[in-house]
Amino acid sequence: MNDTLKSLLTRIQVIALIVGLVALALTVCGAFVERSQFFFSYLFGYLFWLGLSLGCFLVAMIHTLTGGRWGFPTRRFLEAGYLVLPLMLVLFIPICFGLHELYPWARPEEVAAEKVLRQRQAYENPWAYIMRAFIFLGIWIWISQRLRRCSLEQDTRADAEPTRKARMLSGPGIVLYGLLGTFA
């Protein structure tokens, strides 16, 4: 890569960093100015990016199970998509602070006033919600990291053992994906 291209990329990176920091500052301001709208918008954005990441994860597991040449050109892109799951775990933390803004079952006064919310309180309460989210994301992260490790081993080994391991992981992984997605 020549020096002109390097300097151009460096300038673009610096500009992107500045734009990102300004957007972060505006987001923090929004959290204090319009708290309720901030949490609804944050949840929407979070679920959008989590959905993309989990979609990449599912497609990668499907390709691992079914085989075929159709998935090889996209394998690294899919892995890049699902390798952000640890970041999604960290980005879930602000949602924990906005549960009272987002969900009626997180507001004790509404739970006391609504019979249906009282009946669902064992499942729908802040601590159960947070624990489920961290456990489910933890399971998805663990499977995705193992799947990635198998994928990298496939590139360095001539035998089929990494592929077999990945398939043994992807079958139950797809079932767990569906179950955890349902309960999430």
Side-chain angles (χ1 to χ4, degrees):
M1 191 180 324
N2 62 28
D3 291 335
T4 308
L5 186 57
K6 276 187 177 181
S7 66
L8 176 65
L9 289 176
T10 302
R11 274 199 316 253
I12 291 171
Q13 285 177 332
V14 168
I15 291 169
L17 177 64
I18 291 169
V19 168
L21 290 174
V22 168
L24 179 63
L26 290 172
T27 300
V28 170
C29 290
F32 289 107
V33 172
E34 191 64 45
R35 182 177 168 89
S36 182
Q37 183 60 50
F38 166 79
F39 282 114
F40 280 109
S41 299
Y42 187 89
L43 179 64
F44 180 82
Y46 177 84
L47 290 175
F48 174 80
W49 291 108
L50 179 64
L52 287 178
S53 184
L54 288 174
C56 289
F57 180 48
L58 181 62
V59 172
M61 286 191 296
I62 289 171
H63 174 258
T64 301
L65 267 182
T66 61
R69 287 187 276 179
W70 65 268
F72 292 123
T74 60
R75 181 170 65 172
R76 295 296 182 227
F77 296 110
L78 294 172
E79 289 172 357
Y82 72 69
L83 286 176
V84 299
L85 283 172
L87 176 62
M88 298 311 292
L89 180 67
V90 173
L91 291 175
F92 179 76
I93 293 171
I95 294 171
C96 298
F97 293 105
L99 292 178
H100 291 71
E101 302 287 334
L102 295 168
Y103 302 109
W105 49 257
R107 295 187 283 268
E109 64 278 358
E110 289 199 37
V111 171
E114 292 284 333
K115 180 182 177 187
V116 172
L117 293 178
R118 282 194 308 273
Q119 291 171 340
R120 297 179 182 172
Q121 193 172 18
Y123 188 78
E124 291 180 348
N125 65 73
W127 286 109
Y129 177 82
I130 292 168
M131 292 305 297
R132 276 193 309 275
F134 277 97
I135 290 169
F136 294 174
L137 280 166
I139 291 170
W140 285 326
I141 290 167
W142 180 79
I143 295 171
S144 70
Q145 297 298 320
R146 300 242 351 233
L147 195 62
R148 170 69 171 172
R149 193 175 314 127
C150 291
S151 175
L152 293 175
E153 276 184 50
Q154 285 175 333
D155 295 343
T156 61
R157 293 176 56 173
D159 62 302
E161 184 62 22
T163 304
R164 189 190 66 73
K165 284 182 187 176
R167 285 185 178 164
M168 293 296 293
L169 182 65
S170 292
I174 290 174
V175 173
L176 273 173
Y177 177 91
L179 287 172
L180 296 181
T182 299
F183 288 104

